Amino acid sequence: MALREIVQFPDPRLKRISKPVGEITDEIRELARDMCDVMYAEPGIGLAAPQLGEALRLFVIDTEWTEEENDRCPQVIINPEIVHKEGKIVWEEACLSVPDYTAEVERAAQVTLRALDLEGKEIVEEAEGLRAVCLQHEYDHLDGVLFIDRISRLKRSLYVAKRKKQLAEESEG
Ligand code: K1U
Ligand code: ZN
């Protein structure tokens, strides 16, 4: 089946605050499957529902995946809450919805996340390093926040100008 398209900056759907998932229905299971398919195809190490245009509080993550080993271990995270943050870490981030750009972002170095899995079972996870960074990046998507909202105003405006130029050139053909 065809892969779903990723919503890209500056699409206003990326700015919405997503709604909690109620019941875990077949539609939610299908959305989670679509999200994993897109994440591995890109490839990425995470993907949030708003990136496929769905304003729902769920994301998928696989920070262990590498192209060489292609060992898939996706985790579906539903209705997450970050219940503890500690320390600081700076990581060079990218985003599948923010084409052709990376920047250093400061985040909490360790987080504790509480969420539901696809079976509706509660998960509590303590994470650090890339895993902590990625959990916070994906969690931000659910609140309509992109990593470029967490960099300096100057860097963000330079990226916005570059992106506008890129889109104008694309529409000129
Ligand atoms: O949310 C997204 O758009 C996914 C994004 C997650 C992320 C990357 C880096 C830091 C924090 C969060 C990506 O996966 S971008 C692609 C990427 O980083 C990557 C892809 C393949 C292998 C390793 C990394
Ligand atoms: Zn992202």
Side-chain angles (χ1 to χ4, degrees):
M1 215 176 67
L3 287 173
R4 289 177 62 168
E5 252 181 53
I6 297 186
V7 173
Q8 298 208 321
F9 180 81
D11 192 307
R13 287 175 291 175
L14 293 169
K15 298 298 305 167
R16 295 187 294 193
I17 301 209
S18 293
K19 295 220 158 61
V21 172
E23 217 185 318
I24 300 171
T25 58
D26 284 348
E27 283 74 27
I28 295 293
R29 282 186 274 273
E30 195 181 329
L31 173 60
R33 238 187 340 262
D34 288 350
M35 288 164 62
C36 289
D37 290 347
V38 172
M39 174 177 74
Y40 290 117
E42 279 297 321
I45 51 173
L47 193 80
Q51 295 180 277
L52 292 191
E54 307 287 346
L56 286 167
R57 299 190 81 81
L58 79 147
F59 59 78
V60 294
I61 183 168
D62 186 354
T63 46
E64 298 295 305
W65 184 86
T66 61
E67 211 151 15
E68 300 76 48
E69 291 179 24
N70 196 18
D71 224 358
R72 295 180 175 190
C73 190
Q75 199 180 356
V76 181
I77 305 279
I78 298 173
N79 296 341
E81 281 173 68
I82 295 180
V83 293
H84 180 75
K85 287 185 180 188
E86 208 178 304
K88 282 189 172 44
I89 189 171
V90 175
W91 205 279
E92 182 91 16
E93 295 193 20
C95 179
L96 301 174
S97 294
V98 179
D100 309 316
Y101 191 64
T102 65
E104 287 190 340
V105 180
E106 185 182 290
R107 298 198 185 261
Q110 289 117 27
V111 296
T112 306
L113 177 117
R114 194 163 56 208
L116 298 178
D117 67 13
L118 208 46
E119 274 73 54
K121 205 173 96 233
E122 190 179 74
I123 323 162
V124 178
E125 181 183 338
E126 285 177 23
E128 58 181 17
L130 174 61
R131 181 98 183 159
V133 169
C134 195
L135 286 170
Q136 291 170 84
H137 176 115
E138 299 310 330
Y139 184 89
D140 266 357
H141 274 297
L142 310 184
D143 286 334
V145 176
L146 298 174
F147 81 98
I148 52 169
D149 299 321
R150 297 193 178 278
I151 59 178
S152 75
R153 247 195 228 179
L154 175 63
K155 282 187 187 164
R156 190 183 192 284
S157 344
L158 288 171
Y159 174 69
V160 172
K162 173 177 136 163
R163 177 74 180 138
K164 279 188 182 153
K165 189 161 170 265
Q166 188 181 48
L167 287 169
E169 282 165 4
E170 275 173 26
S171 70
E172 279 162 17

